[in-house]
Amino acid sequence: MTVPHHAQGTRAARHRLRAELAESVPAVLLTDATTVAAELLGNAVRHAAPLPGGTVRLSWRLCTDTTSQVVEIRVTDGGAGATPRIRRVGPDSADGRGLYLVAALAADWGVARDGLGQSVWAKLRHPAGCTA
């Protein structure tokens, strides 16, 4: 889904993700997926340029097999000067923990660039220990 590149747009994207996955995934995976989407969308609005038309894109994919469910979340924006990375911050820092949180919740995450800009993606797995 494509939403405006501002806080109200990202809130709408989070609510739609939650509504779409609510009947399909366990509560813990839904909470983690919503948290990761919030962090990635917030970073896109704070640190990256918008896509053409002043937007940011959130997409997700659910894969299920006999042992696990995987939700892949992808946020695409117009890109920033620096590649997104986990920052080291002190205990008194007011921000800077978003990608640390994403990395803690996700089985894997990364950054991809294409002709549109950049996408930051994360794969969340339930149960967390599965490698499927």
Side-chain angles (χ1 to χ4, degrees), residues 101-114:
L101 182 59
V102 169
L105 294 174
D108 196 14
W109 74 279
V111 180
R113 294 186 187 270
D114 62 19

Side-chain angles (χ1 to χ4, degrees), residues 67-94:
T67 60
S68 68
Q69 288 184 306
V70 177
V71 175
E72 181 178 343
I73 297 170
R74 181 174 295 263
V75 172
T76 304
D77 55 47
T83 300
R85 61 180 176 76
I86 296 173
R87 293 177 23 200
R88 291 181 183 219
V89 296
D92 295 331
S93 295

Side-chain angles (χ1 to χ4, degrees), residues 4 14 20 34 40 47-48 55 57 63 72-73 76-78 106 114:
R14 287 192 323 270
E20 296 263 338
T34 304
L40 297 181
H47 303 295
T55 63
R57 182 175 303 131
C63 300
E72 181 178 343
I73 297 170
T76 304
D77 55 47
D114 62 19

Side-chain angles (χ1 to χ4, degrees), residues 1-90:
M1 76 178 291
T2 302
V3 297
H5 185 267
H6 56 64
Q8 291 82 7
T10 64
R11 185 177 66 212
R14 287 192 323 270
H15 286 283
R16 180 160 172 206
L17 169 74
R18 188 167 191 80
E20 296 263 338
L21 292 178
E23 299 297 319
S24 303
V25 302
V28 67
L29 182 56
L30 181 60
T31 298
D32 289 352
T34 304
T35 300
V36 166
E39 290 298 333
L40 297 181
L41 286 161
N43 284 350
V45 168
R46 280 189 298 278
H47 303 295
L51 290 167
T55 63
V56 62
R57 182 175 303 131
L58 170 67
S59 59
W60 59 89
R61 180 172 54 162
L62 174 62
C63 300
T64 303
D65 65 23
T66 58
T67 60
S68 68
Q69 288 184 306
V70 177
V71 175
E72 181 178 343
I73 297 170
R74 181 174 295 263
V75 172
T76 304
D77 55 47
T83 300
R85 61 180 176 76
I86 296 173
R87 293 177 23 200
R88 291 181 183 219
V89 296

